[in-house]
Amino acid sequence: MFRGLILTITAIVAAIIVLVPASSLLLETVGGSEGMNIVAEKMNLSEKSVYKAPFQDYTFPGLGEGVDASVVSGIVGVFVVAVLALALALVFKEGRSWFSRRA
Amino acid sequence: MHIPDGYLDLRICILFYVLSGAYIIFSTWRAGRLFGDLHIPLFATLSAFIFAGQLLNWPIPGGTTAHFTGGSLAGILLGPFGGASAMAVVLVVQALVFGDGGILALGANLWNMAVIAPLTGFITYVVLGKIFGRSGALAGAFLGGWLGAVLASLFAGLQLGLSAIFLYPITITVPAMVFYHLGFGLIDGLVNIGVLMYIMRYHPHILEIPKI
C-alpha cells in the first residue's frame, strides 16, 4: 500500500533538488514578486510577524538564506507534511477501529 | 496567496478562525469516519505534492510570480472534506514551521485555500465529468483549478478590504486580487489536467477511491 507513497515522495524530493534552484535562477534573472505582495505594496501594507518559525521563509540554520537552504528546508517540509498527513490518516482509521472494538 | 500577519485586523482573523475551524473540524470528523486503506497513502502523497508545488515560484511576464496552489486538486482527488483536511495539513505546516502565511491570518488562509478551492475543484470536476465523461472531467479539473484560485483570491480581497487596518474598500482590494489571479489560476488548471491525465493513464484506480 505504501510503495507508491515512498516512490512519489522520492520523486518529489528529486524534483525539489532540480526545480527549486531552477525557479530561483529564473526569478533572479527575470525578477518578479507574488501578486499578494504587489497588491500589499500598492496599498502600503506591511507585514507584522507575531511568531518566528524555526525555518522562517524557507531558510535553514547553518545554511542561511541561499538556494541550498531553500532546497534543504523544502525537503524537510515535504517529510514533515508527509509524516504528519500519514499519522493523521492512520489515526483516523485506527481510531475508528479502536472505537468500534470498544463498542 | 498566503496572507501574512499585519494585513488583517483581529475581528477578521477571529471570524475566519471560527468559520474555517468549524469546516476543518467537520472535515476531519468526516474523514475519520470514512477513510479507508486507499485514502491513507493518497492523503499523505497529495499533501506532500501540494507542499512541494507551492515551493516553486515561477516568474511570469509583467513582473509577477505565480505558483501552484493545489486546493482544487485536493478536492478533485479526495473530495471537498478530505481535500480540506489535506490542505489544512499543508497550510498549518507552512505557517508553523516556515512562517509562510501568518499565524493570526491562518483562519483566513485556510478559508481561501483549504475550504473554497477544494470545494470549487470538486464541484466542477464532478459536474462536468458526469455530463461529458472523461473529457468533461479533464475540462472540470482545468476549470476547477482556475476558478478555485480566482475565488480564493476574491475571498482574500474581501478579507483585506473588510479589514480595518487600512482604508482601501473591497471595491479596490477585490478587483486588485482577482486581476492578478485570473492569470495565475491557469497554473492550477494546467497542473490539474497534467496530474489527472497521468492518473487516468497509469493509476486509474485512484479515481475510484471514494471522495469524502
Side-chain angles (χ1 to χ4, degrees), chain A:
Chain A
M1 178 168 68
F2 295 104
R3 188 170 162 268
L5 172 65
I6 293 166
L7 283 174
T8 313
I9 298 293
T10 308
I12 289 171
V13 168
I16 285 176
I17 291 169
V18 175
L19 293 177
V20 168
S23 75
S24 295
L25 188 67
L26 265 173
L27 271 177
E28 272 177 32
T29 315
V30 182
S33 185
E34 205 193 330
M36 169 69 75
N37 298 341
I38 294 173
V39 172
E41 201 175 307
K42 282 184 178 168
M43 295 178 181
N44 295 320
L45 283 169
S46 56
E47 194 173 329
K48 290 188 188 77
S49 294
V50 295
Y51 166 77
K52 177 106 170 83
F55 303 103
Q56 187 72 34
D57 296 326
Y58 302 95
T59 54
F60 196 83
L63 291 176
E65 299 176 0
V67 176
D68 46 355
S70 300
V71 171
V72 175
S73 64
I75 293 170
V76 168
V78 165
F79 281 111
V80 171
V81 168
V83 168
L84 193 63
L86 192 59
L88 197 62
L90 285 169
V91 165
F92 287 161
K93 190 168 173 295
E94 296 308 318
R96 191 175 65 234
S97 310
W98 187 80
F99 277 113
S100 60
R101 277 200 301 273
R102 303 271 295 179

Side-chain angles (χ1 to χ4, degrees), chain B residues 27-40:
Chain B
S27 299
T28 310
W29 171 80
R30 201 171 148 77
R33 276 170 49 96
L34 301 173
F35 256 33
D37 282 342
L38 293 173
H39 287 98
I40 297 171

Side-chain angles (χ1 to χ4, degrees), chain B residues 54-88:
Chain B
Q54 290 201 5
L55 272 180
L56 305 168
N57 254 314
W58 301 102
I60 55 174
T64 57
T65 65
H67 67 72
F68 168 65
T69 52
S72 56
L73 184 65
I76 288 166
L77 295 179
L78 282 167
F81 301 111
S85 302
M87 285 305 291

Side-chain angles (χ1 to χ4, degrees), chain B residues 116-162:
Chain B
I116 297 299
L119 200 56
T120 310
F122 173 75
I123 291 171
T124 55
Y125 168 74
V126 169
V127 170
L128 291 183
K130 281 222 163 101
I131 297 172
F132 300 109
R134 185 179 186 275
S135 53
L138 286 171
F142 177 79
L143 181 65
W146 176 78
L147 194 59
V150 170
L151 288 179
S153 73
L154 186 144
F155 271 97
L158 279 175
Q159 290 153 355
L160 290 169
L162 292 173

